Amino acid sequence: MAIAIDGPAASGKSSTAKAVARALGFHHVDSGALYRAATAARSRQAGAPETWTEASVIEAARIVSLAPTETGFTPLLDGQEAELEMRGDSATDNVSRVAQMPGVRNWVNSIVRKTGQEYDVVVDGRDIGTVVFPNARLKIFLIADPAERARRRLLERLGAEPSAPQISEETARILLRDELDAKQSGRARDAIVIDTTRLARADQIEKIVKLGREAMV
Ligand code: CDP
């Protein structure tokens, strides 16, 4: 069984998917982490991002493997954790370009689908309910106001409440990424939209877990 959680940049998909997977005993797969891993792997090699070819990204991504974690899987680079490299500004600024490459999308999709053949999964991304698992038992589309998404992302990164200028700078980055990702970010017609702008994290998770339990019977 697959549960798809899609939505725009920094809408809380991954942390929600992880908590939902934990509550239901499913495996969490973060498809965005695989796009980030491919981007970080390519960044380790020579050449400006504007010159990266699809073939060179796919070749670089050979160092990416999926390691099991307590709640699902995490990508490793050359057998090592590389969270900072994958979540840093450079990977974040270049990931949308890499995600436009059809060969890279196929690479991510086949890894994600394989996990879905072996386990019950909660997968988060942009096109999980539309392309990767169009028959997912439950599809959630998380949305939130851009400034609130920016505030949450900064809070997570800084560990402290961000200032107004920091929020507006991050909001601009998030909106730019939404624009660059628009092509693969359509909402599935049968997705349930949840606006989390004024929703507490715990309530949002509880709501999806409940929908997941209902979908399981
Ligand atoms: O967590 P955040 O929303 O910032 O992004 P992410 O889920 O880590 O995804 C990083 C990038 O991967 C996105 O900006 C998209 O360019 C790409 N992506 C995609 O194209 N399709 C997916 N299913 C997941 C991510």
Side-chain angles (χ1 to χ4, degrees), residues 160-196:
E161 198 60 47
S163 66
Q166 283 175 316
I167 292 176
S168 56
E169 192 187 322
E170 185 66 17
T171 304
R173 291 179 86 135
I174 282 177
L175 289 174
L176 173 65
R177 205 144 54 85
D178 283 352
E179 204 179 304
L180 296 173
D181 292 334
K183 211 167 89 191
Q184 69 267 28
S185 303
R187 173 164 65 83
R189 254 184 293 165
D190 49 348
I192 298 170
V193 179
I194 302 180
D195 184 339
T196 73

Short mmCIF file of all heavy atoms in Angstrom, two decimals, residues 160-196:
data_model
loop_
_atom_site.label_atom_id
_atom_site.label_comp_id
_atom_site.label_asym_id
_atom_site.label_seq_id
_atom_site.Cartn_x
_atom_site.Cartn_y
_atom_site.Cartn_z
N ALA A 160 15.92 28.75 15.85
CA ALA A 160 15.40 29.94 16.55
C ALA A 160 14.45 30.67 15.62
O ALA A 160 14.51 30.49 14.39
CB ALA A 160 16.55 30.87 16.92
N GLU A 161 13.58 31.49 16.21
CA GLU A 161 12.59 32.23 15.42
C GLU A 161 13.31 33.20 14.46
O GLU A 161 14.12 34.01 14.88
CB GLU A 161 11.69 33.00 16.39
CG GLU A 161 10.37 33.47 15.81
CD GLU A 161 9.48 32.36 15.28
OE1 GLU A 161 9.27 31.34 15.97
OE2 GLU A 161 8.98 32.53 14.14
N PRO A 162 13.05 33.11 13.16
CA PRO A 162 13.75 33.99 12.20
C PRO A 162 13.21 35.41 12.22
O PRO A 162 12.08 35.65 12.65
CB PRO A 162 13.46 33.33 10.85
CG PRO A 162 12.22 32.51 11.07
CD PRO A 162 12.18 32.13 12.51
N SER A 163 14.04 36.34 11.73
CA SER A 163 13.62 37.75 11.67
C SER A 163 12.78 37.97 10.41
O SER A 163 12.79 37.13 9.49
CB SER A 163 14.86 38.64 11.58
OG SER A 163 15.53 38.41 10.36
N ALA A 164 12.10 39.13 10.35
CA ALA A 164 11.25 39.44 9.19
C ALA A 164 12.06 39.47 7.89
O ALA A 164 11.62 38.90 6.88
CB ALA A 164 10.50 40.74 9.43
N PRO A 165 13.25 40.12 7.86
CA PRO A 165 14.02 40.10 6.60
C PRO A 165 14.45 38.69 6.19
O PRO A 165 14.45 38.36 5.01
CB PRO A 165 15.26 40.96 6.91
CG PRO A 165 14.93 41.72 8.13
CD PRO A 165 13.88 40.98 8.87
N GLN A 166 14.79 37.87 7.18
CA GLN A 166 15.16 36.49 6.85
C GLN A 166 13.96 35.76 6.22
O GLN A 166 14.11 35.03 5.25
CB GLN A 166 15.59 35.73 8.11
CG GLN A 166 17.00 36.07 8.57
CD GLN A 166 17.34 35.40 9.90
OE1 GLN A 166 16.52 35.39 10.83
NE2 GLN A 166 18.53 34.85 9.98
N ILE A 167 12.79 36.00 6.80
CA ILE A 167 11.59 35.33 6.27
C ILE A 167 11.31 35.79 4.85
O ILE A 167 11.01 34.98 3.96
CB ILE A 167 10.35 35.57 7.18
CG1 ILE A 167 10.55 34.86 8.53
CG2 ILE A 167 9.07 35.09 6.51
CD1 ILE A 167 9.46 35.09 9.54
N SER A 168 11.47 37.10 4.59
CA SER A 168 11.13 37.53 3.22
C SER A 168 12.15 37.02 2.20
O SER A 168 11.77 36.66 1.09
CB SER A 168 10.87 39.03 3.11
OG SER A 168 11.95 39.72 3.58
N GLU A 169 13.40 36.92 2.60
CA GLU A 169 14.40 36.37 1.68
C GLU A 169 14.12 34.90 1.37
O GLU A 169 14.16 34.46 0.23
CB GLU A 169 15.79 36.52 2.32
CG GLU A 169 16.93 36.25 1.37
CD GLU A 169 18.28 36.23 2.09
OE1 GLU A 169 18.45 37.06 3.02
OE2 GLU A 169 19.11 35.39 1.75
N GLU A 170 13.79 34.15 2.43
CA GLU A 170 13.52 32.71 2.24
C GLU A 170 12.22 32.50 1.45
O GLU A 170 12.10 31.59 0.65
CB GLU A 170 13.45 32.02 3.61
CG GLU A 170 13.28 30.51 3.58
CD GLU A 170 14.47 29.75 2.98
OE1 GLU A 170 15.56 30.32 2.87
OE2 GLU A 170 14.27 28.58 2.61
N THR A 171 11.23 33.39 1.67
CA THR A 171 9.97 33.29 0.92
C THR A 171 10.24 33.41 -0.58
O THR A 171 9.69 32.66 -1.38
CB THR A 171 8.98 34.39 1.38
OG1 THR A 171 8.78 34.27 2.78
CG2 THR A 171 7.64 34.26 0.67
N ALA A 172 11.13 34.34 -0.93
CA ALA A 172 11.46 34.53 -2.35
C ALA A 172 12.09 33.28 -2.94
O ALA A 172 11.77 32.87 -4.06
CB ALA A 172 12.39 35.73 -2.51
N ARG A 173 12.98 32.65 -2.17
CA ARG A 173 13.64 31.42 -2.65
C ARG A 173 12.62 30.30 -2.85
O ARG A 173 12.68 29.54 -3.81
CB ARG A 173 14.67 30.95 -1.64
CG ARG A 173 15.87 31.82 -1.51
CD ARG A 173 16.79 31.25 -0.47
NE ARG A 173 17.68 30.25 -1.06
CZ ARG A 173 18.97 30.21 -0.82
NH1 ARG A 173 19.52 31.08 -0.01
NH2 ARG A 173 19.72 29.30 -1.37
N ILE A 174 11.71 30.21 -1.90
CA ILE A 174 10.69 29.16 -1.96
C ILE A 174 9.77 29.38 -3.15
O ILE A 174 9.44 28.44 -3.89
CB ILE A 174 9.91 29.13 -0.61
CG1 ILE A 174 10.77 28.41 0.44
CG2 ILE A 174 8.56 28.48 -0.75
CD1 ILE A 174 10.16 28.37 1.81
N LEU A 175 9.38 30.63 -3.38
CA LEU A 175 8.48 30.92 -4.50
C LEU A 175 9.18 30.67 -5.83
O LEU A 175 8.55 30.18 -6.78
CB LEU A 175 7.95 32.36 -4.42
CG LEU A 175 6.95 32.58 -3.29
CD1 LEU A 175 6.59 34.06 -3.18
CD2 LEU A 175 5.68 31.75 -3.49
N LEU A 176 10.46 30.96 -5.89
CA LEU A 176 11.22 30.70 -7.10
C LEU A 176 11.25 29.19 -7.37
O LEU A 176 11.02 28.73 -8.49
CB LEU A 176 12.65 31.25 -6.98
CG LEU A 176 13.59 30.90 -8.12
CD1 LEU A 176 13.12 31.54 -9.43
CD2 LEU A 176 15.02 31.36 -7.82
N ARG A 177 11.50 28.41 -6.32
CA ARG A 177 11.55 26.95 -6.50
C ARG A 177 10.18 26.41 -6.91
O ARG A 177 10.07 25.54 -7.77
CB ARG A 177 12.08 26.28 -5.23
CG ARG A 177 12.70 24.93 -5.50
CD ARG A 177 13.91 24.66 -4.62
NE ARG A 177 13.63 24.80 -3.21
CZ ARG A 177 13.11 23.84 -2.45
NH1 ARG A 177 12.83 22.67 -2.96
NH2 ARG A 177 12.89 24.05 -1.17
N ASP A 178 9.10 26.95 -6.33
CA ASP A 178 7.75 26.53 -6.74
C ASP A 178 7.57 26.75 -8.23
O ASP A 178 6.98 25.92 -8.93
CB ASP A 178 6.67 27.37 -6.01
CG ASP A 178 6.46 26.91 -4.57
OD1 ASP A 178 7.03 25.88 -4.17
OD2 ASP A 178 5.72 27.62 -3.85
N GLU A 179 8.07 27.90 -8.69
CA GLU A 179 7.92 28.24 -10.11
C GLU A 179 8.72 27.26 -10.98
O GLU A 179 8.22 26.75 -11.98
CB GLU A 179 8.46 29.65 -10.30
CG GLU A 179 7.91 30.41 -11.47
CD GLU A 179 8.53 31.80 -11.49
OE1 GLU A 179 8.40 32.52 -10.48
OE2 GLU A 179 9.16 32.14 -12.50
N LEU A 180 9.96 27.00 -10.57
CA LEU A 180 10.82 26.10 -11.35
C LEU A 180 10.28 24.66 -11.34
O LEU A 180 10.53 23.89 -12.25
CB LEU A 180 12.25 26.11 -10.79
CG LEU A 180 13.00 27.44 -10.88
CD1 LEU A 180 14.33 27.35 -10.13
CD2 LEU A 180 13.24 27.83 -12.33
N ASP A 181 9.57 24.30 -10.27
CA ASP A 181 9.06 22.93 -10.12
C ASP A 181 7.62 22.78 -10.62
O ASP A 181 7.04 21.69 -10.53
CB ASP A 181 9.09 22.52 -8.64
CG ASP A 181 10.50 22.36 -8.10
OD1 ASP A 181 11.41 22.09 -8.91
OD2 ASP A 181 10.68 22.51 -6.88
N ALA A 182 7.05 23.88 -11.15
CA ALA A 182 5.61 23.88 -11.46
C ALA A 182 5.20 22.74 -12.38
O ALA A 182 4.15 22.13 -12.20
CB ALA A 182 5.21 25.22 -12.06
N LYS A 183 6.07 22.44 -13.34
CA LYS A 183 5.73 21.44 -14.36
C LYS A 183 5.37 20.07 -13.75
O LYS A 183 4.45 19.41 -14.22
CB LYS A 183 6.92 21.28 -15.31
CG LYS A 183 6.51 20.93 -16.72
CD LYS A 183 7.64 21.09 -17.70
CE LYS A 183 8.44 19.81 -17.81
NZ LYS A 183 9.68 19.97 -18.54
N GLN A 184 6.12 19.68 -12.72
CA GLN A 184 5.87 18.34 -12.16
C GLN A 184 5.07 18.39 -10.86
O GLN A 184 5.01 17.41 -10.14
CB GLN A 184 7.20 17.59 -11.93
CG GLN A 184 8.09 18.12 -10.82
CD GLN A 184 9.12 19.11 -11.33
OE1 GLN A 184 8.89 19.78 -12.33
NE2 GLN A 184 10.24 19.22 -10.66
N SER A 185 4.48 19.56 -10.59
CA SER A 185 3.85 19.72 -9.27
C SER A 185 2.32 19.82 -9.31
O SER A 185 1.72 20.41 -8.42
CB SER A 185 4.43 20.95 -8.57
OG SER A 185 5.81 20.84 -8.46
N GLY A 186 1.72 19.25 -10.32
CA GLY A 186 0.25 19.30 -10.40
C GLY A 186 -0.38 18.47 -9.30
O GLY A 186 0.21 17.50 -8.82
N ARG A 187 -1.57 18.86 -8.91
CA ARG A 187 -2.27 18.11 -7.86
C ARG A 187 -3.12 17.01 -8.48
O ARG A 187 -3.83 17.25 -9.46
CB ARG A 187 -3.15 19.09 -7.07
CG ARG A 187 -4.04 18.42 -6.07
CD ARG A 187 -4.58 19.43 -5.08
NE ARG A 187 -5.47 20.44 -5.65
CZ ARG A 187 -6.76 20.23 -5.87
NH1 ARG A 187 -7.31 19.07 -5.61
NH2 ARG A 187 -7.51 21.20 -6.36
N ALA A 188 -3.05 15.81 -7.90
CA ALA A 188 -3.90 14.72 -8.38
C ALA A 188 -5.36 15.08 -8.10
O ALA A 188 -5.65 15.68 -7.07
CB ALA A 188 -3.53 13.42 -7.67
N ARG A 189 -6.24 14.71 -9.03
CA ARG A 189 -7.65 15.09 -8.86
C ARG A 189 -8.27 14.48 -7.60
O ARG A 189 -9.15 15.06 -7.00
CB ARG A 189 -8.46 14.69 -10.10
CG ARG A 189 -8.80 15.92 -10.94
CD ARG A 189 -9.67 15.54 -12.10
NE ARG A 189 -8.90 14.71 -13.03
CZ ARG A 189 -9.45 13.98 -14.00
NH1 ARG A 189 -10.74 13.94 -14.14
NH2 ARG A 189 -8.70 13.29 -14.82
N ASP A 190 -7.76 13.30 -7.24
CA ASP A 190 -8.33 12.63 -6.06
C ASP A 190 -7.52 12.89 -4.78
O ASP A 190 -7.67 12.17 -3.79
CB ASP A 190 -8.47 11.12 -6.32
CG ASP A 190 -7.18 10.50 -6.87
OD1 ASP A 190 -6.26 11.26 -7.27
OD2 ASP A 190 -7.10 9.26 -6.91
N ALA A 191 -6.67 13.91 -4.80
CA ALA A 191 -5.89 14.23 -3.59
C ALA A 191 -6.74 15.04 -2.61
O ALA A 191 -7.58 15.84 -3.02
CB ALA A 191 -4.64 15.01 -3.96
N ILE A 192 -6.49 14.81 -1.34
CA ILE A 192 -7.15 15.61 -0.29
C ILE A 192 -6.22 16.77 0.06
O ILE A 192 -5.07 16.54 0.45
CB ILE A 192 -7.42 14.74 0.95
CG1 ILE A 192 -8.37 13.59 0.57
CG2 ILE A 192 -7.99 15.58 2.09
CD1 ILE A 192 -8.52 12.54 1.65
N VAL A 193 -6.72 17.98 -0.10
CA VAL A 193 -5.88 19.16 0.16
C VAL A 193 -5.96 19.53 1.64
O VAL A 193 -7.06 19.64 2.20
CB VAL A 193 -6.35 20.36 -0.69
CG1 VAL A 193 -5.49 21.59 -0.41
CG2 VAL A 193 -6.30 20.02 -2.18
N ILE A 194 -4.81 19.69 2.26
CA ILE A 194 -4.78 20.13 3.65
C ILE A 194 -3.94 21.40 3.73
O ILE A 194 -2.76 21.39 3.41
CB ILE A 194 -4.21 19.03 4.59
CG1 ILE A 194 -5.05 17.76 4.47
CG2 ILE A 194 -4.16 19.52 6.04
CD1 ILE A 194 -4.56 16.61 5.34
N ASP A 195 -4.57 22.49 4.16
CA ASP A 195 -3.86 23.75 4.33
C ASP A 195 -3.36 23.79 5.78
O ASP A 195 -4.15 23.80 6.72
CB ASP A 195 -4.81 24.92 4.05
CG ASP A 195 -4.08 26.26 4.12
OD1 ASP A 195 -3.00 26.35 4.74
OD2 ASP A 195 -4.60 27.24 3.54
N THR A 196 -2.03 23.80 5.93
CA THR A 196 -1.46 23.69 7.28
C THR A 196 -1.06 25.04 7.86
O THR A 196 -0.46 25.09 8.93
CB THR A 196 -0.22 22.77 7.27
OG1 THR A 196 0.86 23.46 6.63
CG2 THR A 196 -0.49 21.46 6.58
#
